[in-house]
Every structure is written in C-alpha cells, then in structure tokens.
Amino acid sequence: QVQLVESGGGSVQAGGSLRLSCAASKYTANIVRMAWFRQTPGKEREAVAVIYTSNGVTYYGDSVKGRFTISQDNAKNTVYLQMNSLKPEDTAMYYCAADFRPGTWFTSYAYAYWGRGSQVTVSS
C-alpha cells in the first residue's frame, strides 16, 4: 500500500512561514489526489488543500486561501505545503493523505492512505 511520510513541521512566530513535505512511496502511479489535513485535540480533521496529481488542479480550505500553497514534484513523488503568514490558529497536527479514486476532496473519509502527521505550532 501507499506509504506517506511528512516532514518540515516545527515552531514559528505569527507571520512566519513553514514548508511541509509529504513523500509517497509504493504504488505512487495510482495516486489520483494528495491532500493536507490538520487536526487539533478534540476536533475533527480539517481539509487544508488538495492537488490532483494528473493535472495539478488545486483546491483550498477557506481558512488558508491566499496564504498556503500546495504543489507537487512528480519526479520525487513528493507534495509540498508552503505556509505563509501563519497565525496561531494554524497550530495543529498536519497530515498528508492520498487516494487512488476521485471523490470529495475535503472529507477525511475519502482518503485511504495517511501519514503519521507533522506538528506545526505558531506562537503569537
């Protein structure tokens, strides 16, 4: 099955930037979409962004539009999340997700494969 490994999280002050990476391995040619979700304790996972691997089409959650950018490097089977103008409310565990099927991009149950997560902490 697909394996996803996130990296690049950390701590930053408000207004700063971070870039997350998600490296995929095994059966990567079958991946239709890769996405980033985030979650804080006691809350459901929130969709952040998705990229459709065949054509690069992207969608974003309302809370990150204009600040975050999702991109891909097909040669490296890696997806990135560039996060700019970070706010304390962006603090969360960020998860990479992937699926072989088209579907509703913003719902967590529409993804079969998940990474273990990378913590992002934004201080005010």
Side-chain angles (χ1 to χ4, degrees):
Q1 62 181 28
V2 174
Q3 295 179 347
L4 304 173
V5 179
E6 302 100 332
S7 61
S11 298
V12 66
Q13 289 190 330
S17 299
L18 284 173
R19 189 177 80 157
L20 300 179
S21 300
C22 174
S25 60
K26 297 187 178 182
Y27 307 105
T28 57
N30 296 331
I31 295 175
V32 170
R33 51 202 164 96
M34 293 186 70
W36 290 95
F37 284 74
R38 65 187 183 186
Q39 188 172 26
T40 54
K43 294 188 177 181
E44 294 186 357
R45 287 188 183 182
E46 174 193 6
V48 175
V50 67
I51 187 164
Y52 287 82
T53 56
S54 63
N55 56 16
V57 171
T58 60
Y59 297 99
Y60 296 90
D62 289 341
S63 61
V64 306
K65 282 181 181 176
R67 300 188 297 123
F68 290 12
T69 303
I70 188 170
S71 62
Q72 61 181 351
D73 184 333
N74 289 335
K76 296 181 179 180
N77 294 318
T78 299
V79 168
Y80 304 97
L81 185 69
Q82 178 66 44
M83 304 183 291
N84 298 329
S85 302
L86 283 161
K87 305 175 182 179
E89 50 264 44
D90 293 319
T91 295
M93 184 70 79
Y94 283 70
Y95 294 93
C96 178
D99 206 276
F100 296 160
R101 308 159 295 176
T104 305
W105 78 269
F106 50 83
T107 53
S108 60
Y109 58 76
Y111 294 84
Y113 305 104
W114 291 85
R116 293 186 176 183
S118 183
Q119 178 68 38
V120 171
T121 302
V122 184
S123 58
S124 57

PDB file of all heavy atoms in Angstrom, residues 16-51:
ATOM      1  N   GLY A  16       5.203  34.190  10.287  1.00  0.00           N
ATOM      2  CA  GLY A  16       6.285  33.451   9.673  1.00  0.00           C
ATOM      3  C   GLY A  16       5.806  32.419   8.670  1.00  0.00           C
ATOM      4  O   GLY A  16       4.608  32.339   8.356  1.00  0.00           O
ATOM      5  N   SER A  17       6.763  31.626   8.169  1.00  0.00           N
ATOM      6  CA  SER A  17       6.471  30.631   7.132  1.00  0.00           C
ATOM      7  C   SER A  17       7.092  29.284   7.492  1.00  0.00           C
ATOM      8  O   SER A  17       8.102  29.222   8.195  1.00  0.00           O
ATOM      9  CB  SER A  17       7.040  31.083   5.786  1.00  0.00           C
ATOM     10  OG  SER A  17       6.468  32.293   5.360  1.00  0.00           O
ATOM     11  N   LEU A  18       6.445  28.238   6.991  1.00  0.00           N
ATOM     12  CA  LEU A  18       6.970  26.877   7.080  1.00  0.00           C
ATOM     13  C   LEU A  18       6.604  26.158   5.797  1.00  0.00           C
ATOM     14  O   LEU A  18       5.602  26.496   5.150  1.00  0.00           O
ATOM     15  CB  LEU A  18       6.385  26.118   8.270  1.00  0.00           C
ATOM     16  CG  LEU A  18       6.899  26.429   9.674  1.00  0.00           C
ATOM     17  CD1 LEU A  18       6.058  25.684  10.702  1.00  0.00           C
ATOM     18  CD2 LEU A  18       8.361  26.064   9.816  1.00  0.00           C
ATOM     19  N   ARG A  19       7.372  25.141   5.457  1.00  0.00           N
ATOM     20  CA  ARG A  19       7.024  24.296   4.322  1.00  0.00           C
ATOM     21  C   ARG A  19       7.017  22.848   4.778  1.00  0.00           C
ATOM     22  O   ARG A  19       8.017  22.333   5.288  1.00  0.00           O
ATOM     23  CB  ARG A  19       8.002  24.457   3.159  1.00  0.00           C
ATOM     24  CG  ARG A  19       7.522  23.739   1.901  1.00  0.00           C
ATOM     25  CD  ARG A  19       8.419  23.930   0.711  1.00  0.00           C
ATOM     26  NE  ARG A  19       9.585  23.060   0.756  1.00  0.00           N
ATOM     27  CZ  ARG A  19      10.282  22.713  -0.322  1.00  0.00           C
ATOM     28  NH1 ARG A  19       9.937  23.159  -1.513  1.00  0.00           N
ATOM     29  NH2 ARG A  19      11.339  21.935  -0.200  1.00  0.00           N
ATOM     30  N   LEU A  20       5.876  22.209   4.568  1.00  0.00           N
ATOM     31  CA  LEU A  20       5.741  20.791   4.849  1.00  0.00           C
ATOM     32  C   LEU A  20       5.977  19.984   3.575  1.00  0.00           C
ATOM     33  O   LEU A  20       5.636  20.433   2.476  1.00  0.00           O
ATOM     34  CB  LEU A  20       4.343  20.476   5.382  1.00  0.00           C
ATOM     35  CG  LEU A  20       3.932  21.176   6.677  1.00  0.00           C
ATOM     36  CD1 LEU A  20       2.501  20.780   7.046  1.00  0.00           C
ATOM     37  CD2 LEU A  20       4.876  20.842   7.800  1.00  0.00           C
ATOM     38  N   SER A  21       6.549  18.815   3.754  1.00  0.00           N
ATOM     39  CA  SER A  21       6.747  17.890   2.644  1.00  0.00           C
ATOM     40  C   SER A  21       6.062  16.565   2.953  1.00  0.00           C
ATOM     41  O   SER A  21       5.998  16.159   4.117  1.00  0.00           O
ATOM     42  CB  SER A  21       8.234  17.639   2.401  1.00  0.00           C
ATOM     43  OG  SER A  21       8.917  18.831   2.088  1.00  0.00           O
ATOM     44  N   CYS A  22       5.598  15.908   1.920  1.00  0.00           N
ATOM     45  CA  CYS A  22       4.994  14.588   2.057  1.00  0.00           C
ATOM     46  C   CYS A  22       5.552  13.711   0.943  1.00  0.00           C
ATOM     47  O   CYS A  22       5.234  13.930  -0.231  1.00  0.00           O
ATOM     48  CB  CYS A  22       3.483  14.659   1.971  1.00  0.00           C
ATOM     49  SG  CYS A  22       2.682  13.031   1.962  1.00  0.00           S
ATOM     50  N   ALA A  23       6.365  12.755   1.318  1.00  0.00           N
ATOM     51  CA  ALA A  23       6.963  11.846   0.350  1.00  0.00           C
ATOM     52  C   ALA A  23       6.151  10.563   0.287  1.00  0.00           C
ATOM     53  O   ALA A  23       5.898   9.927   1.307  1.00  0.00           O
ATOM     54  CB  ALA A  23       8.409  11.542   0.740  1.00  0.00           C
ATOM     55  N   ALA A  24       5.760  10.201  -0.921  1.00  0.00           N
ATOM     56  CA  ALA A  24       4.970   8.988  -1.128  1.00  0.00           C
ATOM     57  C   ALA A  24       5.846   7.893  -1.718  1.00  0.00           C
ATOM     58  O   ALA A  24       6.723   8.147  -2.543  1.00  0.00           O
ATOM     59  CB  ALA A  24       3.808   9.274  -2.063  1.00  0.00           C
ATOM     60  N   SER A  25       5.564   6.665  -1.276  1.00  0.00           N
ATOM     61  CA  SER A  25       6.291   5.530  -1.837  1.00  0.00           C
ATOM     62  C   SER A  25       5.329   4.371  -2.020  1.00  0.00           C
ATOM     63  O   SER A  25       4.330   4.260  -1.320  1.00  0.00           O
ATOM     64  CB  SER A  25       7.443   5.114  -0.919  1.00  0.00           C
ATOM     65  OG  SER A  25       6.973   4.748   0.357  1.00  0.00           O
ATOM     66  N   LYS A  26       5.620   3.524  -2.973  1.00  0.00           N
ATOM     67  CA  LYS A  26       4.826   2.349  -3.331  1.00  0.00           C
ATOM     68  C   LYS A  26       3.518   2.726  -4.005  1.00  0.00           C
ATOM     69  O   LYS A  26       2.706   3.468  -3.470  1.00  0.00           O
ATOM     70  CB  LYS A  26       4.545   1.465  -2.117  1.00  0.00           C
ATOM     71  CG  LYS A  26       5.785   0.880  -1.476  1.00  0.00           C
ATOM     72  CD  LYS A  26       5.431  -0.101  -0.389  1.00  0.00           C
ATOM     73  CE  LYS A  26       6.687  -0.714   0.213  1.00  0.00           C
ATOM     74  NZ  LYS A  26       6.364  -1.717   1.260  1.00  0.00           N
ATOM     75  N   TYR A  27       3.306   2.186  -5.181  1.00  0.00           N
ATOM     76  CA  TYR A  27       2.058   2.362  -5.935  1.00  0.00           C
ATOM     77  C   TYR A  27       1.742   3.830  -6.202  1.00  0.00           C
ATOM     78  O   TYR A  27       0.580   4.200  -6.334  1.00  0.00           O
ATOM     79  CB  TYR A  27       0.883   1.692  -5.230  1.00  0.00           C
ATOM     80  CG  TYR A  27       1.148   0.243  -4.893  1.00  0.00           C
ATOM     81  CD1 TYR A  27       1.419  -0.142  -3.581  1.00  0.00           C
ATOM     82  CD2 TYR A  27       1.169  -0.729  -5.879  1.00  0.00           C
ATOM     83  CE1 TYR A  27       1.690  -1.448  -3.270  1.00  0.00           C
ATOM     84  CE2 TYR A  27       1.446  -2.045  -5.578  1.00  0.00           C
ATOM     85  CZ  TYR A  27       1.705  -2.402  -4.267  1.00  0.00           C
ATOM     86  OH  TYR A  27       1.990  -3.708  -3.956  1.00  0.00           O
ATOM     87  N   THR A  28       2.756   4.657  -6.271  1.00  0.00           N
ATOM     88  CA  THR A  28       2.527   6.093  -6.434  1.00  0.00           C
ATOM     89  C   THR A  28       1.876   6.427  -7.770  1.00  0.00           C
ATOM     90  O   THR A  28       1.181   7.441  -7.873  1.00  0.00           O
ATOM     91  CB  THR A  28       3.842   6.854  -6.285  1.00  0.00           C
ATOM     92  OG1 THR A  28       4.784   6.349  -7.235  1.00  0.00           O
ATOM     93  CG2 THR A  28       4.410   6.702  -4.881  1.00  0.00           C
ATOM     94  N   ALA A  29       2.077   5.615  -8.774  1.00  0.00           N
ATOM     95  CA  ALA A  29       1.493   5.897 -10.084  1.00  0.00           C
ATOM     96  C   ALA A  29      -0.032   5.845 -10.048  1.00  0.00           C
ATOM     97  O   ALA A  29      -0.692   6.395 -10.915  1.00  0.00           O
ATOM     98  CB  ALA A  29       2.023   4.918 -11.116  1.00  0.00           C
ATOM     99  N   ASN A  30      -0.592   5.180  -9.046  1.00  0.00           N
ATOM    100  CA  ASN A  30      -2.053   5.043  -8.943  1.00  0.00           C
ATOM    101  C   ASN A  30      -2.707   6.178  -8.163  1.00  0.00           C
ATOM    102  O   ASN A  30      -3.930   6.262  -8.112  1.00  0.00           O
ATOM    103  CB  ASN A  30      -2.398   3.728  -8.258  1.00  0.00           C
ATOM    104  CG  ASN A  30      -1.949   2.525  -9.072  1.00  0.00           C
ATOM    105  OD1 ASN A  30      -1.883   2.592 -10.292  1.00  0.00           O
ATOM    106  ND2 ASN A  30      -1.626   1.434  -8.401  1.00  0.00           N
ATOM    107  N   ILE A  31      -1.905   7.041  -7.572  1.00  0.00           N
ATOM    108  CA  ILE A  31      -2.467   8.105  -6.746  1.00  0.00           C
ATOM    109  C   ILE A  31      -3.164   9.136  -7.618  1.00  0.00           C
ATOM    110  O   ILE A  31      -2.573   9.669  -8.552  1.00  0.00           O
ATOM    111  CB  ILE A  31      -1.384   8.775  -5.887  1.00  0.00           C
ATOM    112  CG1 ILE A  31      -0.816   7.776  -4.883  1.00  0.00           C
ATOM    113  CG2 ILE A  31      -1.952   9.993  -5.156  1.00  0.00           C
ATOM    114  CD1 ILE A  31       0.345   8.319  -4.074  1.00  0.00           C
ATOM    115  N   VAL A  32      -4.403   9.435  -7.315  1.00  0.00           N
ATOM    116  CA  VAL A  32      -5.188  10.421  -8.061  1.00  0.00           C
ATOM    117  C   VAL A  32      -5.112  11.796  -7.399  1.00  0.00           C
ATOM    118  O   VAL A  32      -5.059  12.822  -8.081  1.00  0.00           O
ATOM    119  CB  VAL A  32      -6.651   9.961  -8.153  1.00  0.00           C
ATOM    120  CG1 VAL A  32      -7.545  11.068  -8.703  1.00  0.00           C
ATOM    121  CG2 VAL A  32      -6.760   8.715  -9.021  1.00  0.00           C
ATOM    122  N   ARG A  33      -5.122  11.810  -6.083  1.00  0.00           N
ATOM    123  CA  ARG A  33      -5.090  13.089  -5.380  1.00  0.00           C
ATOM    124  C   ARG A  33      -4.334  12.943  -4.077  1.00  0.00           C
ATOM    125  O   ARG A  33      -4.358  11.894  -3.433  1.00  0.00           O
ATOM    126  CB  ARG A  33      -6.504  13.607  -5.108  1.00  0.00           C
ATOM    127  CG  ARG A  33      -7.401  12.610  -4.447  1.00  0.00           C
ATOM    128  CD  ARG A  33      -8.884  12.953  -4.676  1.00  0.00           C
ATOM    129  NE  ARG A  33      -9.699  11.804  -4.358  1.00  0.00           N
ATOM    130  CZ  ARG A  33     -10.293  11.614  -3.185  1.00  0.00           C
ATOM    131  NH1 ARG A  33     -10.185  12.516  -2.239  1.00  0.00           N
ATOM    132  NH2 ARG A  33     -11.012  10.529  -2.956  1.00  0.00           N
ATOM    133  N   MET A  34      -3.668  14.019  -3.704  1.00  0.00           N
ATOM    134  CA  MET A  34      -2.974  14.085  -2.422  1.00  0.00           C
ATOM    135  C   MET A  34      -3.421  15.367  -1.734  1.00  0.00           C
ATOM    136  O   MET A  34      -3.606  16.396  -2.377  1.00  0.00           O
ATOM    137  CB  MET A  34      -1.464  14.054  -2.610  1.00  0.00           C
ATOM    138  CG  MET A  34      -0.959  12.726  -3.146  1.00  0.00           C
ATOM    139  SD  MET A  34       0.827  12.616  -3.213  1.00  0.00           S
ATOM    140  CE  MET A  34       1.246  12.541  -1.456  1.00  0.00           C
ATOM    141  N   ALA A  35      -3.572  15.273  -0.434  1.00  0.00           N
ATOM    142  CA  ALA A  35      -4.133  16.402   0.304  1.00  0.00           C
ATOM    143  C   ALA A  35      -3.437  16.580   1.638  1.00  0.00           C
ATOM    144  O   ALA A  35      -2.748  15.687   2.125  1.00  0.00           O
ATOM    145  CB  ALA A  35      -5.625  16.168   0.530  1.00  0.00           C
ATOM    146  N   TRP A  36      -3.652  17.745   2.190  1.00  0.00           N
ATOM    147  CA  TRP A  36      -3.231  18.045   3.551  1.00  0.00           C
ATOM    148  C   TRP A  36      -4.466  18.315   4.400  1.00  0.00           C
ATOM    149  O   TRP A  36      -5.356  19.068   3.993  1.00  0.00           O
ATOM    150  CB  TRP A  36      -2.310  19.258   3.585  1.00  0.00           C
ATOM    151  CG  TRP A  36      -0.959  19.017   3.000  1.00  0.00           C
ATOM    152  CD1 TRP A  36      -0.549  19.277   1.727  1.00  0.00           C
ATOM    153  CD2 TRP A  36       0.171  18.458   3.665  1.00  0.00           C
ATOM    154  NE1 TRP A  36       0.751  18.909   1.561  1.00  0.00           N
ATOM    155  CE2 TRP A  36       1.230  18.411   2.745  1.00  0.00           C
ATOM    156  CE3 TRP A  36       0.405  17.983   4.956  1.00  0.00           C
ATOM    157  CZ2 TRP A  36       2.492  17.908   3.068  1.00  0.00           C
ATOM    158  CZ3 TRP A  36       1.657  17.492   5.281  1.00  0.00           C
ATOM    159  CH2 TRP A  36       2.690  17.463   4.339  1.00  0.00           C
ATOM    160  N   PHE A  37      -4.489  17.705   5.553  1.00  0.00           N
ATOM    161  CA  PHE A  37      -5.500  17.958   6.568  1.00  0.00           C
ATOM    162  C   PHE A  37      -4.781  18.405   7.839  1.00  0.00           C
ATOM    163  O   PHE A  37      -3.581  18.179   8.000  1.00  0.00           O
ATOM    164  CB  PHE A  37      -6.300  16.681   6.867  1.00  0.00           C
ATOM    165  CG  PHE A  37      -7.302  16.333   5.818  1.00  0.00           C
ATOM    166  CD1 PHE A  37      -6.912  15.803   4.599  1.00  0.00           C
ATOM    167  CD2 PHE A  37      -8.665  16.526   6.041  1.00  0.00           C
ATOM    168  CE1 PHE A  37      -7.855  15.478   3.620  1.00  0.00           C
ATOM    169  CE2 PHE A  37      -9.609  16.202   5.080  1.00  0.00           C
ATOM    170  CZ  PHE A  37      -9.197  15.684   3.874  1.00  0.00           C
ATOM    171  N   ARG A  38      -5.525  18.995   8.737  1.00  0.00           N
ATOM    172  CA  ARG A  38      -4.960  19.339  10.034  1.00  0.00           C
ATOM    173  C   ARG A  38      -5.973  19.053  11.134  1.00  0.00           C
ATOM    174  O   ARG A  38      -7.187  19.038  10.890  1.00  0.00           O
ATOM    175  CB  ARG A  38      -4.513  20.800  10.077  1.00  0.00           C
ATOM    176  CG  ARG A  38      -5.620  21.819   9.940  1.00  0.00           C
ATOM    177  CD  ARG A  38      -5.021  23.224   9.826  1.00  0.00           C
ATOM    178  NE  ARG A  38      -6.042  24.247   9.762  1.00  0.00           N
ATOM    179  CZ  ARG A  38      -5.791  25.537   9.547  1.00  0.00           C
ATOM    180  NH1 ARG A  38      -4.533  25.949   9.361  1.00  0.00           N
ATOM    181  NH2 ARG A  38      -6.782  26.413   9.510  1.00  0.00           N
ATOM    182  N   GLN A  39      -5.453  18.843  12.316  1.00  0.00           N
ATOM    183  CA  GLN A  39      -6.320  18.471  13.427  1.00  0.00           C
ATOM    184  C   GLN A  39      -5.751  18.988  14.734  1.00  0.00           C
ATOM    185  O   GLN A  39      -4.538  18.897  14.980  1.00  0.00           O
ATOM    186  CB  GLN A  39      -6.474  16.948  13.492  1.00  0.00           C
ATOM    187  CG  GLN A  39      -7.505  16.465  14.483  1.00  0.00           C
ATOM    188  CD  GLN A  39      -7.739  14.972  14.369  1.00  0.00           C
ATOM    189  OE1 GLN A  39      -6.870  14.218  13.941  1.00  0.00           O
ATOM    190  NE2 GLN A  39      -8.936  14.534  14.745  1.00  0.00           N
ATOM    191  N   THR A  40      -6.643  19.513  15.576  1.00  0.00           N
ATOM    192  CA  THR A  40      -6.286  19.895  16.939  1.00  0.00           C
ATOM    193  C   THR A  40      -7.068  18.994  17.883  1.00  0.00           C
ATOM    194  O   THR A  40      -8.100  18.434  17.504  1.00  0.00           O
ATOM    195  CB  THR A  40      -6.623  21.365  17.187  1.00  0.00           C
ATOM    196  OG1 THR A  40      -7.990  21.615  16.867  1.00  0.00           O
ATOM    197  CG2 THR A  40      -5.740  22.271  16.342  1.00  0.00           C
ATOM    198  N   PRO A  41      -6.580  18.851  19.103  1.00  0.00           N
ATOM    199  CA  PRO A  41      -7.233  17.932  20.043  1.00  0.00           C
ATOM    200  C   PRO A  41      -8.715  18.233  20.226  1.00  0.00           C
ATOM    201  O   PRO A  41      -9.112  19.391  20.410  1.00  0.00           O
ATOM    202  CB  PRO A  41      -6.462  18.169  21.343  1.00  0.00           C
ATOM    203  CG  PRO A  41      -5.112  18.584  20.896  1.00  0.00           C
ATOM    204  CD  PRO A  41      -5.357  19.421  19.662  1.00  0.00           C
ATOM    205  N   GLY A  42      -9.518  17.199  20.144  1.00  0.00           N
ATOM    206  CA  GLY A  42     -10.950  17.331  20.355  1.00  0.00           C
ATOM    207  C   GLY A  42     -11.735  17.788  19.148  1.00  0.00           C
ATOM    208  O   GLY A  42     -12.955  17.920  19.227  1.00  0.00           O
ATOM    209  N   LYS A  43     -11.062  18.031  18.039  1.00  0.00           N
ATOM    210  CA  LYS A  43     -11.740  18.492  16.833  1.00  0.00           C
ATOM    211  C   LYS A  43     -11.544  17.510  15.696  1.00  0.00           C
ATOM    212  O   LYS A  43     -10.616  16.712  15.692  1.00  0.00           O
ATOM    213  CB  LYS A  43     -11.234  19.879  16.435  1.00  0.00           C
ATOM    214  CG  LYS A  43     -11.577  20.965  17.426  1.00  0.00           C
ATOM    215  CD  LYS A  43     -11.214  22.333  16.874  1.00  0.00           C
ATOM    216  CE  LYS A  43     -11.619  23.447  17.827  1.00  0.00           C
ATOM    217  NZ  LYS A  43     -11.293  24.792  17.277  1.00  0.00           N
ATOM    218  N   GLU A  44     -12.441  17.585  14.725  1.00  0.00           N
ATOM    219  CA  GLU A  44     -12.318  16.738  13.544  1.00  0.00           C
ATOM    220  C   GLU A  44     -11.204  17.257  12.637  1.00  0.00           C
ATOM    221  O   GLU A  44     -10.827  18.434  12.697  1.00  0.00           O
ATOM    222  CB  GLU A  44     -13.637  16.712  12.777  1.00  0.00           C
ATOM    223  CG  GLU A  44     -14.764  16.036  13.528  1.00  0.00           C
ATOM    224  CD  GLU A  44     -16.018  15.895  12.672  1.00  0.00           C
ATOM    225  OE1 GLU A  44     -15.999  16.377  11.529  1.00  0.00           O
ATOM    226  OE2 GLU A  44     -17.003  15.335  13.168  1.00  0.00           O
ATOM    227  N   ARG A  45     -10.728  16.367  11.786  1.00  0.00           N
ATOM    228  CA  ARG A  45      -9.712  16.776  10.828  1.00  0.00           C
ATOM    229  C   ARG A  45     -10.302  17.761   9.831  1.00  0.00           C
ATOM    230  O   ARG A  45     -11.389  17.540   9.300  1.00  0.00           O
ATOM    231  CB  ARG A  45      -9.133  15.562  10.105  1.00  0.00           C
ATOM    232  CG  ARG A  45      -8.226  14.768  10.997  1.00  0.00           C
ATOM    233  CD  ARG A  45      -7.486  13.673  10.285  1.00  0.00           C
ATOM    234  NE  ARG A  45      -6.696  12.923  11.260  1.00  0.00           N
ATOM    235  CZ  ARG A  45      -5.892  11.924  10.972  1.00  0.00           C
ATOM    236  NH1 ARG A  45      -5.742  11.540   9.708  1.00  0.00           N
ATOM    237  NH2 ARG A  45      -5.213  11.309  11.917  1.00  0.00           N
ATOM    238  N   GLU A  46      -9.561  18.818   9.590  1.00  0.00           N
ATOM    239  CA  GLU A  46      -9.995  19.876   8.688  1.00  0.00           C
ATOM    240  C   GLU A  46      -9.189  19.814   7.398  1.00  0.00           C
ATOM    241  O   GLU A  46      -7.959  19.717   7.432  1.00  0.00           O
ATOM    242  CB  GLU A  46      -9.786  21.242   9.358  1.00  0.00           C
ATOM    243  CG  GLU A  46     -10.069  22.434   8.469  1.00  0.00           C
ATOM    244  CD  GLU A  46      -9.562  23.751   9.062  1.00  0.00           C
ATOM    245  OE1 GLU A  46      -8.881  23.713  10.115  1.00  0.00           O
ATOM    246  OE2 GLU A  46      -9.846  24.816   8.478  1.00  0.00           O
ATOM    247  N   ALA A  47      -9.895  19.883   6.269  1.00  0.00           N
ATOM    248  CA  ALA A  47      -9.211  19.876   4.981  1.00  0.00           C
ATOM    249  C   ALA A  47      -8.487  21.201   4.773  1.00  0.00           C
ATOM    250  O   ALA A  47      -9.070  22.268   4.960  1.00  0.00           O
ATOM    251  CB  ALA A  47     -10.204  19.636   3.861  1.00  0.00           C
ATOM    252  N   VAL A  48      -7.230  21.107   4.370  1.00  0.00           N
ATOM    253  CA  VAL A  48      -6.422  22.299   4.131  1.00  0.00           C
ATOM    254  C   VAL A  48      -6.269  22.559   2.634  1.00  0.00           C
ATOM    255  O   VAL A  48      -6.544  23.651   2.147  1.00  0.00           O
ATOM    256  CB  VAL A  48      -5.040  22.152   4.782  1.00  0.00           C
ATOM    257  CG1 VAL A  48      -4.154  23.340   4.424  1.00  0.00           C
ATOM    258  CG2 VAL A  48      -5.174  22.007   6.300  1.00  0.00           C
ATOM    259  N   ALA A  49      -5.822  21.528   1.902  1.00  0.00           N
ATOM    260  CA  ALA A  49      -5.595  21.700   0.461  1.00  0.00           C
ATOM    261  C   ALA A  49      -5.497  20.339  -0.195  1.00  0.00           C
ATOM    262  O   ALA A  49      -5.176  19.347   0.462  1.00  0.00           O
ATOM    263  CB  ALA A  49      -4.324  22.503   0.203  1.00  0.00           C
ATOM    264  N   VAL A  50      -5.761  20.308  -1.487  1.00  0.00           N
ATOM    265  CA  VAL A  50      -5.634  19.082  -2.275  1.00  0.00           C
ATOM    266  C   VAL A  50      -5.008  19.420  -3.610  1.00  0.00           C
ATOM    267  O   VAL A  50      -5.161  20.532  -4.116  1.00  0.00           O
ATOM    268  CB  VAL A  50      -7.010  18.416  -2.500  1.00  0.00           C
ATOM    269  CG1 VAL A  50      -7.885  19.285  -3.391  1.00  0.00           C
ATOM    270  CG2 VAL A  50      -6.853  17.018  -3.100  1.00  0.00           C
ATOM    271  N   ILE A  51      -4.294  18.445  -4.159  1.00  0.00           N
ATOM    272  CA  ILE A  51      -3.777  18.568  -5.513  1.00  0.00           C
ATOM    273  C   ILE A  51      -4.074  17.278  -6.259  1.00  0.00           C
ATOM    274  O   ILE A  51      -3.876  16.180  -5.729  1.00  0.00           O
ATOM    275  CB  ILE A  51      -2.269  18.903  -5.531  1.00  0.00           C
ATOM    276  CG1 ILE A  51      -1.800  19.201  -6.948  1.00  0.00           C
ATOM    277  CG2 ILE A  51      -1.441  17.793  -4.896  1.00  0.00           C
ATOM    278  CD1 ILE A  51      -0.447  19.914  -6.993  1.00  0.00           C
TER     279      ILE A  51
END
